[in-house]
Amino acid sequence: PAPAHAGGLDRGDHLICDSGCSSISRFNSEGKLLGHDIQGYCAGERIYSPNDLALDSKGGIYFTDSIRENGKVCYYEPGGKQQIIERNLDFPNGIVLSNEEELLFVAESYRNRILSFHLPLQLSSTGHFEVFAELPTHSSGDILKNLPDGIKIDRNGNLLVAHYGMQSIQVLSKQGKIINCIRTE
């Protein structure tokens, strides 16, 4: 189906990652479903579980397709262009743009790390990420006690990582070094 709107939130709309419909659904400010920007496919490839998204200043939308071992990072923009940025990630989860939009960060949950992509990306190219940070691991060795989830950039450019299994928020410098750990338990 055609997108409800090709990108951005210029009308006060709300975007929802809906894994039940394999879609990014668009709602108006009153909560009425306007349609699906993406549903089932992006750039001709099947998507399964959209999880998180980040908007750029041009109205383009980056999002994660969170599945084990074959997860993706995708992008679509107002003109209808769609791109798979990366494939074969192990549960890409949180996603955020740096304040200047020169880097895209993605939490890869089951690899317990943060990836970075230098922007702009070339169309039809993948494999251009760097490991921005390897996160601390739980002393039990249980992978489920790691799992970075949502991420956010603060006004100073530091990356805040909701480290779900560790029950903490890791604060990373612009160089990817842990500068603080806020316990949430």
Side-chain angles (χ1 to χ4, degrees):
H5 180 63
L9 294 175
D10 53 358
R11 300 179 308 199
D13 298 343
H14 301 276
L15 296 174
I16 306 293
C17 291
D18 185 346
S19 61
C21 293
S22 299
S23 70
I24 297 183
S25 302
R26 183 175 293 269
F27 293 82
N28 69 14
S29 59
E30 287 80 40
K32 179 182 177 198
L33 177 66
L34 299 175
H36 307 287
D37 283 17
I38 295 284
Q39 186 171 28
Y41 294 87
C42 181
E45 292 190 27
R46 183 84 172 101
I47 58 168
Y48 298 92
S49 187
N51 181 294
D52 200 358
L53 53 83
L55 281 72
D56 67 21
S57 59
K58 297 175 187 163
I61 299 169
Y62 295 89
F63 69 96
T64 54
D65 183 21
S66 299
I67 59 174
R68 289 293 317 266
E69 300 172 357
N70 295 306
K72 297 179 188 78
V73 176
C74 308
Y75 178 76
Y76 66 99
E77 61 183 37
K81 181 171 61 174
Q82 299 179 0
Q83 179 180 0
I84 304 299
I85 293 172
E86 194 59 56
R87 298 173 182 82
N88 303 317
L89 298 175
D90 201 354
F91 210 88
N93 201 331
I95 189 168
V96 69
L97 286 162
S98 63
N99 292 336
E100 298 81 20
E101 296 188 10
E102 81 282 359
L103 290 171
L104 176 71
F105 296 99
V106 175
E108 188 179 14
S109 291
Y110 280 86
R111 298 284 309 269
N112 197 35
R113 63 188 186 173
I114 304 298
L115 308 177
S116 64
F117 298 82
H118 289 273
L119 300 177
L121 296 164
Q122 299 299 316
L123 281 177
S124 303
S125 65
T126 60
H128 297 289
F129 67 84
E130 295 175 9
V131 176
F132 179 71
E134 298 279 355
L135 297 173
T137 57
H138 194 271
S139 59
S140 69
D142 181 355
I143 193 169
L144 297 177
K145 296 203 184 243
N146 297 324
L147 303 179
D149 195 339
I151 56 180
K152 173 88 172 124
I153 298 284
D154 72 12
R155 71 179 79 117
N156 297 318
N158 298 315
L159 183 67
L160 287 77
V161 180
H163 209 174
Y164 172 75
M166 297 284 278
Q167 298 181 341
S168 64
I169 298 170
Q170 307 289 341
V171 182
L172 306 177
S173 70
K174 290 180 182 181
Q175 294 75 35
K177 305 293 180 206
I178 295 176
I179 56 176
N180 197 4
C181 178
I182 303 165
R183 301 292 303 164
T184 61
E185 59 181 350

